Amino acid sequence: MTEREKIEQERSKKWEERGRKFWSAFLFTKDGKPKSGFLTYTFCLSIAEIFLYVGLFWAVTTVFTPLMAGWAPWLNNLVQSLLVAVCGLGLNIILHRLFKDKKLIFGTYVWLILYTILTVISQLIMLKGTGAYPEFFTFMLWFVFLPLLIAVPVMWYLWKRDDHPEKGPEEEPVWKKYINT
């Protein structure tokens, strides 16, 4: 075996091990509990978010397209995309308030960002040489980038503002034991 083949084999083993570690986070322990509840919950919520946004886009385009038929297409798309973004954000703010773990909704958006990155990379590869990049990025702007650019900063702010992990009983500082009160 040549030196190059050894390096490629080591690299392959390394990536295989990383993949196994990643997917093992979705498995269950011997007690039947998820190994990483946060990862599992946010992944499942991200799938629900995709359905939520698809449903919102369907509802908004069904209702508002006939009303805005005379508008310029870019303005029509902008208004509809902003409506979906605001409605989706409103529903997620309600969920954020309902969930005890305040990082769940932001974690869900992290998954959505990951899906977006993977989609862009795969489409850049698949559309290479077709000249379809402008149409793809126009589609992504209206249906993905704009709602994410509006929701992610708001959810990040709410997570940072509201996430206060429960602290255990505080120990009394050493200097206080010398003070008689």
Side-chain angles (χ1 to χ4, degrees):
M1 191 180 306
T2 66
E3 185 67 29
R4 182 179 173 111
E5 289 173 343
K6 287 180 183 178
I7 291 172
E8 286 182 20
Q9 188 178 22
E10 288 176 15
R11 187 178 300 140
S12 175
K13 285 182 183 178
K14 185 177 178 181
W15 280 103
E16 187 177 315
E17 184 178 328
R18 285 182 181 170
R20 203 175 310 120
K21 284 181 181 178
F22 173 77
W23 290 111
S24 70
F26 291 101
L27 299 176
F28 294 94
T29 62
K30 293 176 184 175
D31 301 335
K33 295 181 180 179
K35 285 185 179 179
S36 174
F38 176 75
L39 197 63
T40 305
Y41 296 147
T42 56
F43 175 75
C44 293
L45 280 171
S46 71
I47 301 301
E49 285 288 324
I50 290 171
F51 286 115
L52 169 76
Y53 276 105
V54 167
L56 284 172
F57 270 109
W58 175 80
V60 166
T61 55
T62 302
V63 171
F64 289 102
T65 299
L67 299 174
M68 297 188 277
W71 294 21
W74 68 269
L75 185 59
N76 190 344
N77 290 338
L78 177 65
V79 169
Q80 290 182 13
S81 188
L82 288 174
L83 278 170
V84 168
V86 169
C87 291
L89 179 61
L91 290 171
N92 284 310
I93 289 172
I94 291 169
L95 288 175
H96 173 79
R97 295 205 183 272
L98 292 176
F99 291 152
K100 184 177 180 182
D101 189 356
K102 298 302 180 186
K103 62 185 174 235
L104 280 176
I105 299 297
F106 180 71
T108 300
Y109 276 103
V110 171
W111 278 104
L112 294 177
I113 291 169
L114 178 66
Y115 300 153
T116 303
I117 291 168
L118 292 174
T119 301
V120 168
I121 290 170
S122 68
Q123 291 302 309
L124 287 175
I125 293 168
M126 292 190 322
L127 296 175
K128 187 176 181 181
T130 63
Y133 288 149
E135 290 82 8
F136 168 70
F137 282 109
T138 301
F139 174 84
M140 290 296 286
L141 171 70
W142 297 125
F143 293 104
V144 180
F145 297 151
L146 196 58
L148 282 178
L149 285 173
I150 290 172
V152 168
V154 173
M155 296 315 298
W156 180 82
Y157 169 74
L158 290 175
W159 165 50
K160 287 297 188 185
R161 185 191 73 183
D162 297 339
D163 190 31
H164 305 290
E166 295 179 18
K167 297 177 183 175
E170 292 186 28
E171 275 190 33
E172 189 173 308
V174 176
W175 61 269
K176 275 195 171 183
K177 68 181 178 183
Y178 298 110
I179 297 176
N180 294 330
T181 53

